[in-house]
Every structure is written in structure tokens, then in C-alpha cells.
């Protein structure tokens, strides 16, 4: 059991019915996350990153595939088993304002999950645990009876983090938790998340657009394009050797401070394929400068180097 991953996602799919057909928001995605690790998930807006995280923790029901927690399938469990699983799986939302109840004071917000857990016998114990959590994330005592609108974005996000940690989860989806914050506050929240991970041993799935952030916080990176995983590798390896053309283009967009050796930006041409009733084959082919007839066939994520997976039939021909 020691070698069992904490989270194992197998061929996960999430489709939404729309007037034109089925929107393939998450399509046949597989990966594993071990205890204490951080998987960064990157890609353009609309590629399915947030939907993937919400489906894993059962905020949305999967269309197909499996999610395993400690080797146990939780994809369709209900009742008491679902309650147990949800205590181990939590989320920090992107917008710290809309994710908090505007009518509850900060202390009450953090006490809510504690009340529903049934772990505490009286209000004194609840209050003590809520104070411990607020100390843990750095919420000043003078702010604990405030309402969300009275706090700035960084403090609101600390409240969201404290609420997510209330039941000692093992896995937390961080859904762009710093994208709505000022740059200086972003660094504080990122460092807080990393410190909490060291203290509590949680695993993170960190969804973000900011590639410099994902490089800083992640052990492995999963690159998504229109609902599919196109590349996955350890962070250092991915930033040194990108094998998929989309990953190359994505990383070329990172701003460089070296005026003597600026990044050679890869500008993609062509139209983005619709995720509604997509045709078989590589969804990036319409924008890929290396596309051939072979790219019209389904592409599967394959391990081509130790821990380095890519979904591209031409990856070996286009290197260099």
C-alpha cells in the first residue's frame, strides 16, 4: 500500500450537453499524484483545468473514467463514503470574494465545516479549533469578527485556505488561487501554501495560467489543450525539454528579463478547434506547424522518457 498513489485519475471524462451537442470539457485524462506532491496544471482558458479539478473532488459528476483515493474508487460513491472522501478532498477557489458567504463573519465561515464534521462536542472546542486555523494562515485577531467585504483580497484568500484546511484534507485543488491578487500578495499566498504543505503533508493540484508560478511551486506539470492532456513531466525536465509543439509555444510566451537573450516567441496561427463534438485526432493539429495526415489519428499520452509523457505522434521528428 505504501506505493499506492494518493490520487489516481484514470481516463476521466466530463462532457456537458449544449444545444450543438456535447462539450468535451475533460476528455480521457489520466495521471497520479503522490502524498506531499504538487501537480501543476496549465493551459489556455477553456482547456478544462478547473473542470478537471472539480470533477476529481466530486463537485461535478464524471461522465466516464475513475478517480481513486488511496486505491479506492470514489467516482460514484455516495452517502457516508462520499462524506468521508470529501473531508480528504478540498478546494481553494479562484475568487476569494464570491466563494465566501457575505453574511457570515470570518470566524463563523471557518467554523461551518467544523460544525458539520461532528468532531467537536461543544462551542468552546469549535472556537478553539477555528482560532488555531486562523493563526495557522495568519488572520489577525482583530479581523476575525469582520465580514468578507471588509477584507482585502489577500486576507479573503487566507480565509478560503483556512476553510479548506479545516478538516485536515490530504488533497487540495488550488484553482488559480493567486490570479485575482496583487503581485506582492501573490508571493505571500504562494509561500503560505508551500509552508502549509510542508507542515501538513498535503498533495496539491495547482491550476494556473502563470507559468512562472507553476515552475516555482510544482513537482510535476500537466499541460492541457481543449480537454486533453498533451504532455506531463517533472517540472525541471519540462522547462528544459518540451516535446509537444503546444508546450513549446506555451513556454515561449514567458516574459524574459534577459535583454541579450530574449525568448524566441512561437506565434500560433489558425483557428482553435471546437470542443463540441470534436473529430478524432490531435485537437492542436489545426494550429500546429508540424501537422501531417498522421495527426488525424487519435493521439495517446505515452511515456517517451522516464516520467515524461507526450501525446504527439511526431514528437521525435520535430525536436531541435
Amino acid at each position: 500500500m505504501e506505493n499506492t498513489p494518493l490520487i489516481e485519475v484514470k481516463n476521466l471524462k466530463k462532457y456537458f450537453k449544449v444545444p450543438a451537442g456535447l462539450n468535451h470539457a475533460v476528455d480521457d485524462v489520466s495521471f497520479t499524484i503522490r502524498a506531499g506532491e504538487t501537480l501543476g496544471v496549465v493551459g489556455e482558458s477553456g482547456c478544462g483545468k478547473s473542470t478537471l479539478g472539480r470533477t476529481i473532488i466530486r463537485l461535478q459528476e464524471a461522465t466516464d473514467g475513475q478517480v481513486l483515493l488511496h486505491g479506492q474508487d470514489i467516482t460514484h460513491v455516495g452517502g457516508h463514503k462520499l462524506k468521508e472522501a470529501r473531508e480528504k478532498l478540498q478546494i481553494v477557489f479562484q475568487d476569494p470574494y464570491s466563494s465566501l458567504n457575505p453574511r457570515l463573519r470570518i470566524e463563523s465561515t471557518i467554523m461551518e465545516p467544523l460544525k458539520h464534521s461532528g468532531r467537536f462536542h461543544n462551542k468552546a472546542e469549535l472556537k478553539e479549533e477555528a482560532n488555531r486555523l486562523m493563526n495557522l494562515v495568519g488572520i489577525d485577531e482583530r479581523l476575525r469578527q469582520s465580514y468578507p467585504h471588509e477584507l482585502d483580497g489577500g486576507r479573503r484568500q487566507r480565509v478560503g485556505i483556512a476553510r479548506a484546511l479545516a478538516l485536515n484534507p490530504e488533497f487540495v485543488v488550488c484553482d488559480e488561487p493567486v490570479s485575482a491578487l496583487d503581485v506582492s500578495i501573490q508571493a505571500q499566498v504562494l509561500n503560505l501554501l508551500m509552508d502549509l504543505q510542508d507542515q501538513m503533508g498535503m498533495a496539491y493540484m495547482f491550476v494556473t495560467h502563470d507559468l512562472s508560478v507553476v515552475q516555482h511551486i510544482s513537482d510535476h506539470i500537466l499541460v492541457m489543450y481543449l480537454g486533453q492532456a498533451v504532455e506531463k513531466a517533472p517540472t525541471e525536465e519540462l522547462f528544459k525539454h518540451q516535446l509537444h509543439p503546444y508546450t513549446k509555444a506555451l513556454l515561449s510566451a514567458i516574459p524574459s528579463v534577459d535583454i541579450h537573450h530574449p525568448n524566441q516567441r512561437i506565434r500560433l496561427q489558425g483557428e482553435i478547434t471546437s470542443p463540441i463534438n470534436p473529430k478524432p485526432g490531435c485537437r492542436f493539429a489545426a494550429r500546429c506547424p508540424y501537422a501531417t495526415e498522421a495527426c488525424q489519428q487519435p493521439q495517446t499520452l505515452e511515456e517517451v522518457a522516464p516520467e515524461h509523457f507526450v501525446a504527439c505522434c511526431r514528437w521525435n521528428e520535430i525536436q531541435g
Side-chain angles (χ1 to χ4, degrees):
M1 290 294 290
E2 288 183 8
N3 294 323
T4 304
L6 173 64
I7 295 288
E8 192 170 358
V9 175
K10 294 183 176 181
N11 308 109
L12 192 65
K13 297 179 182 179
K14 177 60 183 176
Y15 300 165
F16 295 97
K17 288 184 179 179
V18 295
L22 284 178
N23 183 342
H24 291 219
V26 175
D27 207 353
D28 204 23
V29 174
S30 300
F31 59 84
T32 60
I33 305 177
R34 299 197 175 275
E37 286 187 344
T38 299
L39 175 70
V41 181
V42 299
E44 296 173 332
S45 294
C47 72
K49 305 184 298 296
S50 297
T51 302
L52 173 63
R54 289 165 185 252
T55 306
I56 290 171
I57 66 170
R58 296 287 306 273
L59 283 184
Q60 293 172 330
E61 294 300 316
T63 302
D64 197 6
Q66 290 180 299
V67 178
L68 277 63
L69 175 65
H70 291 300
Q72 301 296 313
D73 190 351
I74 62 165
T75 321
H76 301 294
V77 297
H80 184 66
K81 287 186 176 179
L82 178 59
K83 182 177 182 291
E84 283 185 347
R86 280 185 164 156
E87 289 185 1
K88 296 174 183 176
L89 309 174
Q90 292 293 325
I91 186 169
V92 177
F93 293 98
Q94 178 177 359
D95 184 350
Y97 187 61
S98 63
S99 64
L100 300 177
N101 187 334
R103 297 187 178 188
L104 285 185
R105 298 180 189 272
I106 300 311
E107 184 182 68
S108 299
T109 294
I110 294 170
M111 287 172 69
E112 275 297 288
L114 301 175
K115 288 178 187 175
H116 290 288
S117 72
R119 299 179 187 179
F120 302 90
H121 300 99
N122 53 57
K123 193 168 182 179
E125 286 184 10
L126 281 169
K127 201 173 181 73
E128 183 181 348
E129 179 62 13
N131 282 327
R132 185 189 71 81
L133 287 164
M134 288 186 282
N135 288 331
L136 191 65
V137 301
I139 300 172
D140 293 340
E141 196 167 335
R142 64 185 175 84
L143 300 172
R144 296 178 185 182
Q145 296 304 317
S146 303
Y147 289 96
H149 74 270
E150 297 177 296
L151 305 184
D152 60 31
R155 289 190 176 100
R156 282 198 289 258
Q157 195 59 289
R158 287 174 188 267
V159 176
I161 293 169
R163 183 179 59 181
L165 300 184
L167 302 178
N168 296 316
E170 298 179 46
F171 174 69
V172 179
V173 174
C174 300
D175 187 8
E176 300 195 49
V178 297
S179 64
L181 308 179
D182 292 340
V183 175
S184 59
I185 306 300
Q186 284 184 12
Q188 292 177 21
V189 173
L190 281 175
N191 289 333
L192 172 64
L193 287 168
M194 294 172 75
D195 289 343
L196 291 169
Q197 185 177 39
D198 289 340
Q199 291 175 42
M200 303 175 69
M202 299 170 292
Y204 289 150
M205 176 179 150
F206 198 94
V207 174
T208 183
H209 285 103
D210 192 327
L211 292 164
S212 57
V213 166
V214 85
Q215 183 179 18
H216 178 64
I217 199 171
S218 302
D219 299 300
H220 294 78
I221 295 177
L222 179 75
V223 182
M224 291 186 67
Y225 185 80
L226 286 181
Q228 295 184 322
V230 296
E231 190 162 2
K232 180 182 181 291
T235 301
E236 188 176 347
E237 164 69 11
L238 190 81
F239 274 79
K240 284 182 180 177
H241 306 112
Q242 305 95 45
L243 302 182
H244 197 282
Y246 176 65
T247 311
K248 289 177 181 287
L250 203 61
L251 267 63
S252 77
I254 301 175
S256 174
V257 294
D258 187 346
I259 60 172
H260 301 293
H261 303 90
N263 288 347
Q264 295 299 310
R265 177 74 184 272
I266 300 172
R267 298 188 181 277
L268 299 175
Q269 307 294 324
E271 292 294 323
I272 297 175
T273 307
S274 172
I276 300 172
N277 302 331
K279 297 177 182 177
C282 178
R283 292 177 190 174
F284 183 62
R287 304 171 73 193
C288 179
Y290 308 104
T292 65
E293 285 294 320
C295 301
Q296 304 306 314
Q297 300 303 314
Q299 309 291 310
T300 56
L301 205 64
E302 296 181 0
E303 189 172 16
V304 297
E307 294 190 278
H308 199 149
F309 299 80
V310 65
C312 177
C313 61
R314 300 203 61 212
W315 72 269
N316 204 24
E317 303 170 48
I318 61 180
Q319 295 310 301

